Amino acid sequence: MPDWKIKLLYDGQCPLCLREVNFLRKRDAGRGLVAFVDIADDNYDPTAHGDVSFEAAMGRIHAILPDGTVVKNVEVFRQVYEVLGMGWIYAATKLPLIGGIADALYGIWAKWRLALTGRPDLETLVAQRQQRLRTCSQDRCHLPEVDASSN
């Protein structure tokens, strides 16, 4: 079993996502409870991260538990904050009514996140990534290996 308690897949090109990740890193304080994985990195490999595709990970936030369970949406925040000792922040979202509202609001955010942060739409990002990876493969370039546990 890994040392981390939850692996957070995040978009390293999203300024708001980075703000949240930087906050969470500070709260983790080097304990390694949360493994941070930048899905925007061309080295992102779904097979090493619960088989969560780049497209799925860009569409909604995902996390992986040590047993391989994939969680997504507001449940990711509930679990990450719980692991970091701040579970009280999302505790109310465990209640059915509040949880339903939180999930609906997150769905709206996920749908509009790219546009609100000045990014191309999801289809364009996926196509651009595929083209970069295809070009790199044709040019026989090799992207450096990334240790997911240190991300």
Side-chain angles (χ1 to χ4, degrees):
M1 289 294 252
D3 292 336
W4 48 265
K5 303 295 182 205
I6 192 164
K7 184 189 295 186
L8 178 65
L9 309 182
Y10 72 95
D11 176 3
Q13 297 296 314
C14 170
L16 296 174
C17 304
L18 280 176
R19 179 176 257 172
E20 178 78 5
V21 165
N22 288 335
F23 169 76
L24 294 171
R25 277 191 170 127
K26 286 179 186 173
R27 299 301 293 194
D28 189 39
R31 294 176 290 171
L33 298 173
V34 180
F36 297 93
V37 178
D38 182 358
I39 61 168
D41 188 309
D42 284 340
N43 289 309
Y44 175 72
D45 177 8
T47 62
H49 307 294
D51 288 323
V52 177
S53 71
F54 171 77
E55 184 172 6
M58 286 297 284
R60 292 183 176 267
I61 194 161
H62 287 71
I64 317 301
L65 302 179
D67 68 1
T69 301
V70 176
V71 293
K72 61 183 178 178
N73 302 324
V74 175
E75 184 63 23
V76 171
F77 298 105
R78 284 185 202 114
Q79 293 205 26
V80 168
Y81 275 70
E82 185 69 35
V83 163
L84 295 176
M86 302 180 300
W88 56 271
I89 293 174
Y90 279 90
T93 65
K94 293 178 184 177
L95 301 170
L97 179 62
I98 295 173
I101 293 168
D103 288 336
L105 290 173
Y106 177 78
I108 294 167
W109 161 251
K111 180 178 179 180
W112 293 100
R113 174 182 73 88
L114 294 170
L116 291 172
T117 58
R119 312 265 307 285
D121 64 26
L122 183 57
E123 295 79 21
T124 301
L125 288 176
V126 169
Q128 289 172 343
R129 182 175 194 270
Q130 289 172 340
Q131 181 60 41
R132 279 192 315 276
L133 296 178
R134 225 180 350 263
T135 301
C136 187
S137 177
Q138 291 169 350
D139 292 342
R140 298 183 190 275
C141 63
H142 297 282
L143 299 172
E145 291 295 320
V146 173
D147 178 7
S149 64
S150 66
N151 284 344

